[in-house]
Structures are given as C-alpha cells and as structure tokens.
Amino acid sequence: MKTTIIILISFSVLFLIAQGYISITTKNTEQHNYKLVKDFSSFQIRKYEPALFSSVKLGKKNYKGTSGEGFGILAGYIFGDNESNEKIAMTSPVVMEIGDTSKMMFMVPKAYSFKDLPNPNNNRILFEKQDKKIVAAIQFDGWANDDKIEKYKAILKEELAKEKLQHTNKFTYLGYNSPYELFNRRNEVVVELVDYK
C-alpha cells in the first residue's frame, strides 16, 4: 500500500513539473504581435503587425479533419524536413482557416526573411506574407473542437452585429498551446474587420 502511494505521489509531482515546464515554454514562444485597440466585455479589437507564414491547404472542412494533418506537415518542415535539414523555432498561435477548404499556418520567426528560409521537402508547403490588419477576437479556454469553434464564431458575429462592425465573414481559429499542455489553454476565433475607424 505504501509503495503504491509513493508511486502515485511521485507520478503526480513529475506530472506537475512537466506541466510547469510546458507552460513556461508556451509563454516564451514567439507570438504574432498585436496592439489592443479596444476591449469589449466579450471580445477585443486588435491591430496585428505584418508577418510571414508557412502554410498548407487541406481538403477538409472542419477543425477535426484539419488540425492533425496540417500540424504534422508544418511541424515536419520546422523540425528539419527541408533541404537544409534546418530546425526552425515554433511560434504561436497556430492559425487555421476553416471553410469549404481549410488551411493551417505557422508564423515564421521574425529572424527570418523569405530569402533566408530553407525550401521545404514537401511541395504542399507554401509561404505567404500577411499585411497589417485589424481583427475582432473572442477567446475561450479548454480543448478546441468544431462545436466550440462554431459556438464562439456565432457569439462573435452576434456581438459585431450589435456594435455595427462590418467584417469579411472569413473566420479563423487560433490555438496557443502545445497538445501536451493541459491547463490554462487559450483558443480564439478571429475575423478581419472592414473599414474599421
């Protein structure tokens, strides 16, 4: 009995240490910078800086079908599946455009310009520059799934209609945490605003 208790306590301590390390790693991961423009009770308006992204298009129409495949392809590239076998730092958040087709994107670290990036071995991976933009963002915690994304997309649409804010109607999911991080998970649904003043 004592041995079992000791094993359980040891496992719990190791688990908490691992979660603490993962949490610190998440906080230290380079993020796509933005300036908070306005904070409403349920959503924010943000101004994002221009950024370069690696991306892969997928034939899936939902989060469940997109997340694993897209992440695997882009993670392979930054973990060394490129012509130089070069490892590139992970950034945050992971970006997913979900519609009739889907696209997953990783922001390229600011230390790289387009000409510095090694060519991917997988020809499905493309690079794209995004200009500065103003978006509305709504946040939710826990684990993301298609139902939650649709729920918060609907809430955000309703809130934007109340505020008479026009948008592109092209919603994007942002995920900030490692798959192994169990606590303090951060997810967002965002949409670009049109002619925001």
XYZ file of all heavy atoms in Angstrom, residues 29 38 41 52 56 127 141 152 165 170 175:
89
model
N 7.401 31.259 -26.152
C 7.317 31.058 -27.590
C 7.002 32.384 -28.283
O 6.136 33.135 -27.825
C 6.213 30.027 -27.924
O 6.548 28.781 -27.298
C 6.091 29.807 -29.419
N -9.294 48.071 -28.761
C -10.464 48.286 -27.899
C -10.852 46.969 -27.266
O -10.837 45.922 -27.919
C -11.624 48.856 -28.709
C -12.782 49.343 -27.845
C -13.770 50.173 -28.645
C -14.867 50.723 -27.737
N -15.852 51.540 -28.485
N -16.633 43.759 -23.539
C -16.820 42.792 -22.452
C -16.605 41.356 -22.923
O -16.115 40.516 -22.173
C -18.227 42.935 -21.846
O -19.208 42.736 -22.847
N 5.106 36.895 -41.898
C 5.291 35.866 -42.913
C 4.858 34.532 -42.315
O 5.165 34.238 -41.152
C 6.767 35.818 -43.323
C 7.180 34.795 -44.382
C 6.485 35.076 -45.717
C 8.698 34.811 -44.551
N -0.227 25.339 -45.374
C -0.582 24.167 -46.159
C -2.099 24.126 -46.299
O -2.824 24.305 -45.330
C -0.042 22.855 -45.524
C -0.597 22.626 -44.118
C -0.355 21.660 -46.412
N 4.617 29.705 -48.716
C 4.866 30.836 -47.817
C 4.047 32.020 -48.278
O 3.895 32.258 -49.479
C 6.352 31.187 -47.791
C 7.214 30.064 -47.299
C 7.897 29.256 -48.191
C 7.293 29.790 -45.944
C 8.663 28.199 -47.740
C 8.053 28.733 -45.478
C 8.745 27.929 -46.381
N -11.482 28.888 -23.405
C -10.453 28.025 -22.829
C -10.768 26.556 -23.090
O -11.696 26.216 -23.814
C -10.277 28.307 -21.333
C -11.582 28.138 -20.557
O -12.530 27.553 -21.110
O -11.645 28.579 -19.401
N -18.420 29.943 -30.637
C -17.806 31.253 -30.409
C -17.789 32.103 -31.683
O -17.826 33.335 -31.602
C -16.413 31.085 -29.792
C -16.529 30.722 -28.331
C -16.527 29.387 -27.928
C -16.727 31.700 -27.367
C -16.684 29.053 -26.592
C -16.882 31.371 -26.035
C -16.868 30.048 -25.642
O -17.047 29.719 -24.320
N -20.312 46.586 -36.536
C -18.966 46.472 -37.077
C -18.975 45.506 -38.256
O -19.392 44.351 -38.127
C -17.994 45.979 -35.994
C -17.746 46.959 -34.839
C -16.976 46.281 -33.723
C -17.009 48.196 -35.329
N -14.869 35.843 -42.938
C -13.920 34.732 -43.059
C -13.259 34.541 -41.692
O -12.328 35.267 -41.338
C -12.873 35.034 -44.127
C -13.461 35.073 -45.526
C -12.395 35.381 -46.557
C -13.001 35.428 -47.950
N -12.010 35.817 -48.983
N -4.891 28.761 -32.076
C -4.591 27.901 -30.926
C -3.209 28.196 -30.388
O -2.240 28.230 -31.160
